[in-house]
Amino acid sequence: MLFIIKYGMSSVSEKLLICRALIHSIVFCFVFRNTFGATSPPFIDYLKDILRRYPDGGQILKELIQNADDAGASEVVFIHDERAYEKDSLWSEDLGKYQGPALYAFNNAVFTEEDWQGIQATGRSVKRDDPNRVGRFGIGFNSVYHITDVPCIFSSKYLGLLDPQEELFGEGEGGFKWSLDDDEERKELLTLRDQFQPLRDIVKQVSNSTWEKTIEEDQYFNGTLFRFPLRCESSEISDNLYDSDKIVQLFDSFIADADISLLFLRHVSNVSLMHIDTCGSVAVRLKVSLSSSPTCSDSGDTDTDPSEGSTVFKNISSASLSDGERNTQWLVTSYCLKEGEVTKIDSLAEKLCYQPKVDLAFPCDPDYLISNGRLSCFLPLPNNESNWTGLPVQINASFGLTDNRRHIKWQDEDQKNDEAAQWNELLMTDVLPHTYLKMILDSIQCCRNSILPATSVYRLWPDIVQMEHKEKWHGIAMDVLKRLLDEKAVFSLAKDETIWVTPLDAVFPANDIEVPVLTSAVARVLMAENENLIYIPEHVVNDVKCVFPESDALQWITPRFVRDVLHRGGLEEVSHNDKLSLLEYVLSDGNYQELEGLQLLPLYNGIFKKFTDSDECTALIDNKEFPRELLPFCKEAFISQELSPKSLCHLTILATKETFKLINLDAQNVADLTKKHFPHEWKNGHDHVIWDIGNPEHPPRGWLIEFWKYLSSHWEELGHFINMPLIPVKSPESDSKSVLLASLREKPTLVFQQSKHNSLSEEIQNVVKKVGGTVIKRVECLKHHDIETFVLPPSPKSLLKMFLNLSMDQVIRGIHSASCH
């Protein structure tokens, strides 16, 4: 009214319009004056909040791949185009600043009407009710606003530009869409050459068609092409500027995960990263592709319904400028829990529209080691500790994720009642063990079919010791191990890895055998005796011990077990070296009495005697103080010199227990054995014997010197050796073949030819010989303080003593004979 009064009315129509506006104002004030409630934030604020929560980086490319996979695409191509385009023929001058470098994403699926609606519904995914579709979060696509302000989409019958800032197409217009069904709009797509030249060039790059043919003839683009002009100046959406270096980092981030990014997708099997420089030269930075083949395996587990899961081989081939070509084969197992198995899972699956399915992937290449298995939600989650499991497999599932899709939710203190967190916990405790078990059992079947080696199967086992610090995953791993070791045939025989046995039927290796030679010898004997010996790596040994803490529950290789096997089977076919190794092992626990009857006692001549108390099995053990050179007459009774130091030590201890006929040499038994085993012709009681050095029944040349060293060191008196021929009459020449030895007598008739102060003349020596005595030329080795008790010194007194020890008649005749000359 005030307006009418103040300004008047120029026409009736104007009066009517103003009155109508006034009436609407009055009605609005009357009806809505008490209206109250939350309102939606401005779209830009909402978008900026998404960007704050949603990560910049390689995850952006993954989101675009997820959307492509949901659309059924098999191929995705990312192109970093550094070219800048002309700005003359544009739909609007304001679009000029978006004609510079851009990131393109192409896939070979087309947008449906639902997709065109969904891409406009920021934060409200049209895929939320489909648990088989990856990109369930409407915020996923909007991560591209880290890069650009004006995304462009070209697919099927439309080309659209999104303009969240509403700067390009008028207020209230968040974008514009051209239709290929509309003649006028098609004309614009063809005539605004500069505006659409970027798309024109890329369409030619990624398809078999041209821009003109696509727009004018086909009126349909068989694929989806996104163009994201790089933000070159701050905007209301973000001040995050993107240049070529950042796109390179974006690509590098994806390349780091490229070999695992295709493993769990349903459709996408090829991803390429391309670069076009300012001159238009094209380079393919990376091309990764996936192909699948069946494992031809059947786990044989009657508890597993084949419809619940499957195991296949997936081959990932990649070619990059930096690493060249690389091929990796993966074993991938999927398992879906049947409805009705776990009530809580059923209810959450229906409520959250998730699928109770877990996938596992394991690299078959032994050089590809997974030290920390990683979580994926169809595509790998960020490579950080919160997404590491410590398992040797990659894990994928329809996880409930945090808003930024960087982590899965767990039932921590602040998420006790979060249903997505509950879902994740149930997947890990009730579905993952089934999947893991199936993967290992299927891999075993692959080994039975000679498709995989047993070593690959064992690499699948979790390393329970290394996982001790990961409480959640340690418990899951223990659950898997208990299921796995529950009377299932999960160990391959050492002699034939295609044969698998249960834990209770297996003979487990001993990890306390430090010497590989021993391990090999024990293994050969056990396999020869048809024992179910298995070879397993250390981490599997630890796994088994964690499940079976009582060592008696399983059969481990021990010295006692090996002794029992040898008692049952014999040693006829065992090699000489293996017997020596077996001896060391069966001695190692010190239970020597259990050696009774085992033919493992090695002698010098290469023969193995039995461990018994029979004289026939006597064995001598020498030492530094009493070397075997002292008893050359007994050389075949000495233990072998091939014994290891450990075996020798044990046998030396065993000899002290007098259980078997084992003798540690000492002064007394050297003397006794020398007397007992002297050459037969030396035992006839003669005063003199011939030492035939070339005779194998006689001791070797150096024996006498060693024996007198022994006498000098260990015997105060020589009385114990009376009647033994130990005195060389004269020093033997180095080349002499025989030596005359005189025996020690209680009544000595031997006299030294000379001493330090005296000597016997030729005449006296002749008398000594005539009366029956023996003149001894002092030999260097005859150094003993008791020697002159048996070999008299050269003196009148000694001669009289010698005469008294001889026959009187012989002395008289000898002296008479000597005086005649």
Side-chain angles (χ1 to χ4, degrees), residues 61 65 76-80 103-104 247-248 250-256 258 271-275 283-288 319 321:
L61 303 188
I65 293 175
V76 175
V77 180
F78 294 104
I79 301 174
H80 171 206
L103 172 68
Y104 295 85
I247 296 296
V248 170
L250 199 67
F251 277 20
D252 288 343
S253 178
F254 178 78
I255 289 172
V271 175
S272 300
L273 303 181
M274 301 172 64
H275 173 252
V284 179
R285 282 202 62 193
L286 171 75
K287 184 170 185 179
V288 58
L321 294 175

Side-chain angles (χ1 to χ4, degrees), residues 102-302:
L103 172 68
Y104 295 85
F106 167 79
N107 69 73
N108 60 352
V110 296
F111 259 39
T112 64
E113 291 298 331
E114 182 187 57
D115 293 328
W116 283 109
Q117 291 297 321
I119 204 166
Q120 301 174 66
T122 303
R124 301 187 303 278
S125 173
V126 297
K127 297 176 280 188
R128 188 176 299 277
D129 294 334
D130 185 352
N132 293 312
R133 303 187 74 172
V134 181
R136 297 185 301 275
F137 300 86
I139 62 174
F141 174 78
N142 291 287
S143 62
V144 301
Y145 286 106
H146 281 295
I147 298 173
T148 189
D149 291 329
V150 182
C152 174
I153 308 102
F154 182 37
S155 183
S156 60
K157 298 180 179 182
Y158 303 101
L159 189 154
L161 288 177
L162 292 171
D163 177 26
Q165 299 177 99
E166 300 181 359
E167 292 180 345
L168 303 175
F169 305 103
E171 187 176 353
E173 297 294 333
F176 189 85
K177 186 168 70 171
W178 287 267
S179 173
L180 274 62
D181 286 339
D182 186 279
D183 292 341
E184 290 298 322
E185 293 177 5
R186 280 202 312 276
K187 184 178 180 181
E188 284 186 359
L189 294 173
L190 292 170
T191 57
L192 295 175
R193 190 167 188 86
D194 293 341
Q195 179 70 68
F196 299 109
Q197 187 63 43
L199 292 172
R200 185 190 307 268
D201 290 347
I202 300 301
V203 165
K204 185 178 180 180
Q205 185 73 45
V206 299
S207 72
N208 295 323
S209 185
T210 63
W211 179 259
E212 287 75 11
K213 184 177 183 301
T214 301
I215 302 302
E216 199 163 20
E217 295 181 25
D218 301 335
Q219 298 180 17
Y220 189 88
F221 181 55
N222 192 23
T224 298
L225 178 63
F226 295 95
R227 181 175 186 267
F228 307 120
L230 304 189
R231 183 182 293 110
C232 57
E233 61 183 44
S234 297
S235 70
E236 190 178 357
I237 295 175
S238 173
D239 57 4
N240 184 23
L241 305 185
Y242 251 82
D243 56 16
S244 291
D245 289 341
K246 282 197 172 182
I247 296 296
V248 170
Q249 292 172 13
L250 199 67
F251 277 20
D252 288 343
S253 178
F254 178 78
I255 289 172
D257 289 339
D259 58 340
I260 59 175
S261 290
L262 303 184
L263 285 173
F264 304 117
L265 296 175
R266 294 174 301 115
H267 302 293
V268 173
S269 58
N270 292 279
V271 175
S272 300
L273 303 181
M274 301 172 64
H275 173 252
I276 303 176
D277 64 17
T278 55
C279 299
S281 297
V282 180
V284 179
R285 282 202 62 193
L286 171 75
K287 184 170 185 179
V288 58
S289 59
L290 175 145
S291 60
S292 299
S293 60
T295 61
C296 299
S297 65
D298 177 10
S299 67
D301 182 9
T302 56

Side-chain angles (χ1 to χ4, degrees), residues 460-658:
L460 264 170
W461 288 52
D463 189 336
I464 202 69
V465 173
Q466 293 297 320
M467 295 181 66
E468 286 180 349
H469 65 289
K470 292 183 173 290
E471 183 178 351
K472 184 188 301 296
W473 299 105
H474 183 273
I476 292 169
M478 279 300 298
D479 183 18
V480 171
L481 291 174
K482 288 175 181 177
R483 295 171 189 245
L484 187 63
L485 294 171
D486 184 18
E487 299 184 12
K488 290 181 173 61
V490 293
F491 297 109
S492 67
L493 294 188
K495 64 180 179 181
D496 186 351
E497 67 175 19
T498 65
I499 300 174
W500 293 72
V501 296
T502 68
L504 296 180
D505 292 330
V507 176
F508 289 85
N511 56 2
D512 58 344
I513 305 180
E514 298 176 357
V515 183
V517 174
L518 298 191
T519 305
S520 300
V522 169
R524 282 190 287 269
V525 168
L526 295 182
M527 287 189 285
E529 295 301 321
N530 294 316
E531 297 290 337
N532 288 340
L533 176 66
I534 63 172
Y535 287 152
I536 53 177
E538 184 178 358
H539 77 279
V540 176
V541 172
N542 294 333
D543 291 346
V544 172
K545 288 182 177 180
C546 283
V547 177
F548 294 94
E550 297 296 329
S551 58
D552 294 340
L554 301 175
Q555 181 57 65
W556 296 85
I557 293 178
T558 63
R560 171 166 291 172
F561 175 73
V562 174
R563 288 192 294 265
D564 289 344
V565 171
L566 295 177
H567 278 300
R568 293 196 304 268
L571 290 154
E572 291 78 9
E573 302 300 323
V574 180
S575 71
H576 178 87
N577 288 336
D578 278 358
K579 285 181 180 179
L580 292 175
S581 297
L582 288 170
L583 174 65
E584 179 176 338
Y585 186 62
V586 298
L587 285 169
S588 62
D589 65 348
N591 290 324
Y592 305 132
Q593 68 279 6
E594 295 180 8
L595 296 170
E596 176 75 40
L598 286 182
Q599 195 167 345
L600 276 178
L601 186 59
L603 300 184
Y604 172 81
N605 58 7
I607 294 174
F608 286 82
K609 294 281 189 177
K610 289 184 178 181
F611 282 92
T612 71
D613 58 359
S614 168
D615 288 340
E616 295 179 355
C617 295
T618 299
L620 306 178
I621 304 174
D622 61 341
N623 50 65
K624 288 182 178 180
E625 198 170 6
F626 302 101
R628 62 185 62 199
E629 286 77 15
L630 294 175
L631 294 169
F633 335 97
C634 308
K635 64 180 180 181
E636 293 186 355
F638 277 98
I639 60 171
S640 171
Q641 290 182 303
E642 298 176 282
L643 282 174
S644 69
K646 288 184 179 180
S647 292
L648 180 59
C649 180
H650 279 288
L651 290 178
T652 302
I653 296 171
L654 176 56
T656 65
K657 300 182 180 299
E658 301 181 356

